[in-house]
Amino acid sequence: MMTNQDTNIIGIYRTVWRVVGAGMGWSEAQTLLAARDLMAKGHVEIDEATGWVWVKEWWKHNYIRGAFVGNVKGKALKEMSQIPEKWKRPAYESFLRFDEDGTVAEALSVLTASESGAAKGYNALFGQQPLEEIGSSLARIPYRGHRDGLPSTSQGAPGNHTPNHIFTPISTTTQGNGLQPGGGDFEQVSLEDLVNAALWAAEKGKTIKNVGGYRRKVRNRLLEQGPNRTDFETLSAWRNAVEKATSRDDHAQKTLAQQEAANAEIAAKYRAAQIRFEALAADDRQVAIDEFKRCVVERSATLQRFYAKQGLVHKAVHAAFIQFFSDANRGDSA
């Protein structure tokens, strides 16, 4: 639900249930069964009839400020305006719980004003409780932000050390330092990719003894401060290295596949030659063997030794004979 093709910046989106389960090979019924279980545990909210999904854990894995700054802000506000009415108030309140610097509250003030008019925007969406009061009351709730995130259900399993790969929306156009990697306004950057890139760059210069600790340190910095120019440059270099490695692997696999196909073709050719030889009359088989001895065996001291000991029964001699018989097209008429 966090990574299917219909997800958006804010984690509240509309989907088709079979799309959610497609990546796991699930049917629509299986997907809904799992979604109901997640909803019962408080991780998500779903509307089965309309296909709306609210991933309540979204901001524990994603950097909320990155969705409400720069050119991305307009997209986030548009998506928020489309949230089903029954979810708007609890969703907005949930967003404010992760608002450390007032960025989200400011964005919500713009949204509520445009939806209901500047004078009565807050009351229209939140009853008689202004947004400032909601924010004040939420400030008394202990902040449990996105620093550690929630482990996947499989992470706790014995022997399973696979990390989550959660795509984190981060603006690629930042204010202040003029950073504009890729020239785009918004890129859905994988938080784990940024961490992997940093680890890759660090290991080029030295051996990282505590890889897990290093990854946590980088992840916490990214979630608290957001990525900087060096992070994006490192990410780009890492992606290029991965692409090159993948290209080499693809080339090696292609070469191996071609070799296997060639070997299969040769094996089929030799099987056909064996069948043709066995179909010959005894005299014709002996003629083929005598010619093989004259043309091949007598020219190889090794084959002569093997042939003298075991004749055609020896594997090397038999293989050489079948190749000779196949290349000479013996027994075609048979």
Side-chain angles (χ1 to χ4, degrees):
M1 287 189 168
M2 296 192 73
T3 59
N4 74 77
Q5 67 185 42
D6 289 331
T7 58
N8 58 11
I9 299 175
I10 63 173
I12 304 178
Y13 57 90
R14 195 171 186 179
T15 188
V16 178
W17 296 115
R18 63 175 179 272
V19 172
V20 177
M24 296 169 286
W26 287 359
S27 66
E28 182 174 336
Q30 289 173 313
T31 304
L32 277 172
L33 187 64
R36 290 170 192 147
D37 182 58
L38 289 174
M39 183 167 66
K41 294 176 179 177
H43 296 311
V44 302
E45 192 75 31
I46 64 171
D47 187 321
E48 294 186 21
T50 62
W52 274 97
V53 176
W54 172 12
V55 183
K56 292 188 173 182
E57 312 292 354
W58 188 262
W59 301 119
K60 293 183 179 180
H61 295 281
N62 295 277
Y63 184 44
I64 194 168
R65 190 177 187 278
F68 291 93
V69 296
N71 295 332
V72 188
K73 178 179 176 181
K75 185 175 182 180
L77 291 177
K78 180 179 179 181
E79 291 173 354
M80 291 180 70
S81 69
Q82 297 170 349
I83 296 175
E85 289 297 327
K86 63 181 179 180
W87 289 353
K88 279 189 176 180
R89 177 184 175 114
Y92 291 178
E93 291 178 353
S94 173
F95 286 15
L96 288 171
R97 286 191 175 93
F98 296 91
D99 185 19
E100 294 180 293
D101 60 2
T103 302
V104 179
E106 180 183 353
L108 283 175
S109 68
V110 174
L111 176 63
T112 55
S114 63
E115 285 186 341
S116 305
K120 56 181 181 179
Y122 297 155
N123 292 341
L125 284 175
F126 296 103
Q128 298 301 313
Q129 186 180 16
L131 187 61
E132 294 90 342
E133 295 180 14
I134 294 176
S136 176
S137 63
L138 290 175
R140 296 190 293 271
I141 300 175
Y143 176 73
R144 295 182 177 87
H146 43 263
R147 296 184 180 181
D148 296 326
L150 290 181
S152 68
T153 54
S154 62
Q155 269 190 292
N160 190 338
H161 303 288
T162 304
N164 284 329
H165 293 275
I166 304 300
F167 287 93
T168 305
I170 299 174
S171 172
T172 58
T173 302
T174 62
Q175 297 177 350
N177 63 4
L179 175 61
Q180 293 182 322
D185 294 330
F186 179 81
E187 179 186 358
Q188 194 123 6
V189 178
S190 167
L191 175 60
E192 290 307 314
D193 278 359
L194 287 166
V195 175
N196 290 336
L199 178 62
W200 168 79
E203 288 184 331
K204 290 177 68 177
K206 61 180 179 179
T207 301
I208 305 298
K209 295 182 179 179
N210 185 359
V211 173
Y214 184 86
R215 292 178 66 87
R216 285 192 296 273
K217 181 179 179 181
V218 174
R219 186 182 292 108
N220 289 340
R221 175 181 64 79
L222 290 170
L223 289 173
E224 291 171 359
Q225 303 174 14
N228 54 38
R229 179 183 296 276
T230 301
D231 292 320
F232 281 109
E233 291 174 350
T234 302
L235 177 63
S236 179
W238 174 74
R239 284 175 171 173
N240 289 336
V242 171
E243 185 177 352
K244 289 179 180 178
T246 302
S247 179
R248 288 195 299 269
D249 290 344
D250 290 344
H251 178 72
Q253 290 179 3
K254 183 178 180 180
T255 301
L256 180 60
Q258 291 174 342
Q259 186 62 50
E260 289 177 346
N263 291 341
E265 183 178 352
I266 293 172
K269 177 182 176 182
Y270 289 169
R271 284 196 298 271
Q274 179 71 38
I275 294 171
R276 290 201 308 272
F277 174 74
E278 292 174 354
L280 293 175
D283 291 344
D284 290 334
R285 288 203 296 269
Q286 189 59 51
V287 170
I289 293 172
D290 291 342
E291 186 172 350
F292 166 68
K293 289 169 59 180
R294 185 177 68 256
C295 297
V296 179
V297 175
E298 293 179 0
R299 297 179 183 180
S300 171
T302 302
L303 286 179
Q304 285 181 31
R305 290 196 307 272
F306 293 157
Y307 187 83
K309 290 180 179 180
Q310 294 180 277
L312 290 181
V313 177
H314 193 281
K315 290 184 179 180
V317 177
H318 183 266
F321 171 72
I322 292 298
Q323 181 177 354
F324 167 78
F325 185 79
S326 175
D327 292 344
N329 292 317
R330 290 290 180 179
D332 285 341
S333 60

